[in-house]
Amino acid sequence: MKSIRLAIAAGIAGGVLTAAIMAGAPSAQESEPQSTIYDDLDLFAIVLERIRSEYVEEVDSSELIGAAINGMLGSLDPHSAFLPPKDFDEMQIKTKGEFGGVGIEITQEDGFVKVITPIDDTPAANAGVQAGDFITHVDGESLLGMTLDEAVENLRGPVGEEVVITVVREGETEPLEITIVRDTIKLTAANVRLEGDAIVVRVKTFSEQSLTNVQEGLTKTIEETGGLDFVHGMILDLRNNAGGLLSEAVAISDAFLDKGEIVSTRGRLSSMDDRYNATPGDLLQGKPIIVLINGGSASASEIVAGALQDHHRAIVVGTKSFGKGSVQSLLPLGEDGAMRLTTGLYYTPSGRSIQALGISPDVLVEQLPMSDTEEEENPRAFYFETDLRNALENDSISEEERQQIELEIEKREAAAELRSKDYQLAYAVDLLNGLAVAQSR
């Protein structure tokens, strides 16, 4: 299938990069005669009236006009759209970290609905939906020919109600039917955990909760380890994070930068131009950072990865990101909803636009397919001195030193187990440990 530029779905994706909420559309210099515009509006009115009076079935004028507006915006780029009041309200709720649905990020490719990624710990993820799946039917109804918003509407429904989706998956000879129970999607925007001596910060989406989740998680984890001196650094996992609020992307970047530009936006109008700079203070006090990205990392994720990469504050590991470098402004239209309009592009501190190019990792690491543990696939073929009967013990080290050695062995075994589950993350942990060793020397 020929690849085309993907569009992150509004309504389920949550990956809209919102630059501003404005009271009205900005004025621009007229590029064509006013009389021509009036002639075109007259034509639109004639077509609308003929449809209302002569179409085979009675139609709703408001729905026709809404469809016309959406068609006009949709012809501009994949991210501009008309949001009826219901969709506008849902978008505002979603940026607060809670919304209804099955929990998938979707896009459209050559008219087909494609899964960017299932959101962690949601009905879709638990039911086995995978990134790259093409959804062809919802409850037996074909999605072919529908707009992305129409497909999203088909996936929505009452909480607790089952929905059956038909997916085509690479490597499978037949379509798969997956049953999902709709639920309220409550997102924990970010969580923090320890992986060996590395702090892993997993940011799932950039909502109003993201920075708070990161700060609280880091503070708690660092206290539990006894302080920053006892950790090697941080892995910021932005894989399959489709984006969110620009303000949160800037805030999280700022949390690990002392100074310099984070991102700039430039548009057709000078009023759309803006620049965001870091303020003093680094939560990690200079400890090494590795950022993990993949093809599902888009929009706000790319801002963070690009800022930390350009300032040499982090090493970016993984695969190339999605490449959504455009800024959308939400323009409220009173009781009629809102208009989401692409008004600019964003640029990393070095001045590069990521639109359609994405962030290229410093270290390219593909994710290996999950498999059984290495021990199960390859039973141990070697014996050691300690396996021999009556083997002498080593009494040249203290009990404290012995315990330390055993602890190091346990860490290495845990790292080996991680490689079989998440190769990219394991690689990042190994790289971070290597950096810590190099710095200590």
Side-chain angles (χ1 to χ4, degrees):
M1 180 180 294
K2 183 179 178 183
S3 177
I4 62 173
R5 183 177 301 170
L6 305 182
I8 299 177
I12 289 185
V16 177
L17 181 61
T18 305
I21 296 180
M22 307 168 63
S27 60
Q29 183 178 355
E30 298 292 346
S31 59
E32 57 183 309
Q34 196 79 7
S35 58
T36 302
I37 295 176
Y38 287 139
D39 290 341
D40 291 338
L41 289 175
D42 285 341
L43 175 62
F44 176 80
I46 292 170
V47 172
L48 176 63
E49 184 55 35
R50 295 297 290 268
I51 292 173
R52 288 181 66 249
S53 61
E54 300 178 25
Y55 186 65
V56 64
E57 297 177 352
E58 188 174 345
V59 295
D60 186 311
S61 299
S62 297
E63 290 183 1
L64 280 178
I65 293 172
I69 294 172
N70 208 27
M72 176 170 57
L73 289 166
S75 70
L76 300 175
D77 69 90
H79 307 292
S80 295
F82 172 62
L83 302 176
K86 179 184 175 183
D87 292 347
F88 183 37
D89 291 342
E90 287 185 3
M91 173 174 285
Q92 291 176 306
I93 292 172
K94 183 180 58 185
T95 60
K96 296 182 183 298
E98 180 176 328
F99 59 94
V102 297
I104 51 176
E105 315 280 1
I106 64 173
T107 186
Q108 203 163 39
E109 184 174 304
D110 289 349
F112 296 94
V113 175
K114 183 178 183 180
V115 177
I116 296 176
T117 182
I119 300 171
D120 291 350
D121 302 319
T122 62
N126 295 335
V129 177
Q130 297 182 10
D133 285 348
F134 283 91
I135 303 176
T136 61
H137 295 75
V138 174
D139 286 334
E141 182 178 357
S142 174
L143 300 185
L144 187 61
M146 290 188 183
T147 66
L148 199 54
D149 287 341
E150 289 171 338
V152 168
E153 194 64 30
N154 273 264
L155 286 164
R156 291 174 180 160
V159 171
E161 187 176 276
E162 285 189 350
V163 58
V164 179
I165 65 171
T166 305
V167 304
V168 174
R169 180 176 297 167
E170 185 177 355
E172 297 287 344
T173 57
E174 297 291 335
L176 306 174
E177 287 196 349
I178 301 176
T179 301
I180 306 173
V181 179
R182 296 185 177 102
D183 199 359
T184 299
I185 309 302
K186 295 182 179 180
L187 294 179
T188 300
N191 55 52
V192 182
R193 72 180 194 275
L194 268 179
E195 196 69 61
D197 293 317
I199 298 175
V200 179
V201 177
R202 166 72 174 142
V203 181
K204 303 175 184 179
T205 185
F206 289 90
S207 70
E208 293 178 3
Q209 307 169 4
S210 300
L211 178 63
T212 301
N213 289 166
V214 170
Q215 289 175 322
E216 292 176 351
L218 274 176
T219 300
K220 180 181 178 182
T221 304
I222 291 171
E223 286 178 355
E224 289 175 349
T225 59
L228 277 174
D229 290 340
F230 296 93
V231 296
H232 288 167
M234 181 185 79
I235 297 167
L236 182 59
D237 189 352
L238 300 179
R239 291 175 297 175
N240 298 324
N241 181 327
L245 297 174
L246 171 62
S247 57
E248 290 295 303
V250 170
I252 287 179
S253 301
D254 190 8
F256 306 108
L257 293 171
D258 275 319
K259 61 182 179 179
E261 181 182 304
I262 294 173
V263 66
S264 62
T265 61
R266 306 174 204 170
R268 177 182 171 191
L269 304 176
S270 59
S271 60
M272 293 295 103
D273 296 349
D274 213 338
R275 191 179 303 274
Y276 300 86
N277 296 309
T279 55
D282 176 356
L283 293 180
L284 289 181
Q285 300 176 22
K287 284 278 185 177
I289 297 175
I290 292 174
V291 177
L292 274 176
I293 61 171
N294 63 7
S297 307
S299 196
S301 294
E302 294 171 297
I303 286 179
V304 176
L308 297 180
Q309 185 182 53
D310 280 3
H311 283 290
H312 306 292
R313 182 65 186 90
I315 297 173
V316 179
V317 173
T319 56
K320 191 180 77 168
S321 64
F322 185 81
K324 181 185 179 294
S326 59
V327 179
Q328 281 69 48
S329 296
L330 284 178
L331 312 176
L333 302 174
E335 296 180 355
D336 297 317
M339 175 170 60
R340 188 176 70 240
L341 187 67
T342 298
T343 53
L345 298 175
Y346 70 76
Y347 295 80
T348 69
S350 63
R352 54 180 170 148
S353 169
I354 303 164
Q355 178 60 28
L357 295 177
I359 295 288
S360 295
D362 299 308
V363 182
L364 177 64
V365 180
E366 298 281 354
Q367 182 71 292
L368 297 182
M370 294 179 64
S371 63
D372 296 331
T373 62
E374 183 177 343
E375 184 176 352
E376 292 171 339
E377 291 179 346
N378 302 294
R380 194 176 76 170
F382 300 99
Y383 290 93
F384 302 97
E385 173 71 13
T386 53
D387 294 317
L388 300 179
R389 185 181 178 185
N390 296 329
L392 296 176
E393 293 186 1
N394 187 332
D395 56 3
S396 65
I397 59 175
S398 67
E399 183 60 28
E400 184 177 346
E401 289 173 327
R402 185 186 302 278
Q403 291 176 356
Q404 183 62 35
I405 291 173
E406 290 176 352
L407 180 61
E408 291 298 325
I409 292 174
E410 288 178 5
K411 287 181 179 179
R412 292 190 181 98
E413 289 176 346
E417 184 178 353
L418 181 62
R419 289 188 193 99
S420 69
K421 295 179 179 178
D422 189 340
Y423 182 76
Q424 289 176 323
L425 179 59
Y427 187 99
V429 170
D430 290 341
L431 182 58
L432 196 62
N433 292 338
L435 288 172
V437 171
Q439 286 186 340
S440 67
R441 292 174 179 172

